[in-house]
Amino acid sequence: MIPFEISEVIELHELGDDRGLLTVLEQNDSIPFEIKRVFYIYKTLPEIRRGFHAHYKTRQALVCVSGKCKVFLDNATRKKDVLLDSPTKVLILEPNDWHEMYDFSSDCVLLVLASQLYDPQDYIRDYDKFLEVYGK
Ligand code: T46
């Protein structure tokens, strides 16, 4: 199995003055990969849970630029829930974490930066397959 980094939440600097606030996401600085794709998830109903997959190669950075949501992570050896409730909080999500996003606030805009172009073949959507690939 390819050794991956461990998914982690990082705190970004808030650059502010009397005009308002600004926060930067920059490749190879706060974002530890080349950014090939950007998408955002919004207008998700509060009872909806989405994701339910891991990846083979794609590394991602998730940040709620508005509102908040939670992310359940499972890398086959540990499970945890992460709260993204600030535009300065970024989850660096490694490919080997099965993830589910939930508890979306009505104003949530979840911005995602990805290291790969969109490829449905890069998704592991079956949990047993996930365990086969990443379990011990
Ligand atoms: C992930 C989490 C955080 C595309 O056509 N191109 C794209 O780049 C993406 C991301 C999606 N799509 C299509 C595929 C589906 O028909 O958009 C539809 C919704 O995608 P999906 O069901 O995969 O959405 P989520 O919220 O379950 O997962 C997404 C990302 O796909 C995934 O990489 O890790 O957000």
Side-chain angles (χ1 to χ4, degrees):
M1 188 177 71
I2 307 159
F4 290 114
E5 301 294 316
I6 293 170
S7 299
E8 60 172 349
V9 174
I10 56 167
E11 199 55 58
L12 300 173
H13 295 298
E14 204 165 58
L15 307 172
D17 56 31
D18 52 16
R19 297 169 300 167
L21 300 172
L22 184 154
T23 292
V24 183
L25 295 167
E26 190 166 328
Q27 178 179 312
N28 296 333
D29 183 9
S30 46
I31 305 302
F33 52 78
E34 187 188 346
I35 301 158
K36 293 204 176 144
R37 183 165 51 103
V38 176
F39 59 95
Y40 36 97
I41 294 170
Y42 54 103
K43 289 196 179 173
T44 306
L45 294 173
E47 68 273 18
I48 294 296
R49 223 174 153 98
R50 53 191 300 164
F52 295 95
H53 60 260
H55 291 276
Y56 288 103
K57 289 204 293 198
T58 304
R59 301 178 76 195
Q60 297 181 106
L62 279 65
V63 55
C64 282
V65 289
S66 167
K68 58 187 176 183
C69 74
K70 291 178 186 154
V71 188
F72 168 73
L73 300 174
D74 173 358
N75 70 1
T77 55
R78 71 93 183 84
K79 296 181 186 3
K80 68 174 180 178
D81 294 87
V82 167
L83 171 65
L84 296 177
D85 60 351
S86 162
T88 59
K89 219 187 247 190
V90 183
L91 170 62
I92 305 297
L93 177 60
E94 299 297 337
N96 60 326
D97 256 302
W98 179 271
H99 51 282
E100 300 169 18
M101 297 84 77
Y102 67 103
D103 266 4
F104 287 84
S105 61
S106 57
D107 59 345
C108 181
V109 180
L110 176 62
L111 177 72
V112 183
L113 313 180
S115 67
Q116 306 293 324
L117 300 179
Y118 180 62
D119 176 6
Q121 300 301 318
D122 190 56
Y123 285 68
I124 306 172
R125 293 193 181 273
D126 179 79
Y127 191 76
D128 289 335
K129 178 70 184 172
F130 161 73
L131 290 178
E132 199 182 301
V133 174
Y134 290 120
K136 293 280 168 248

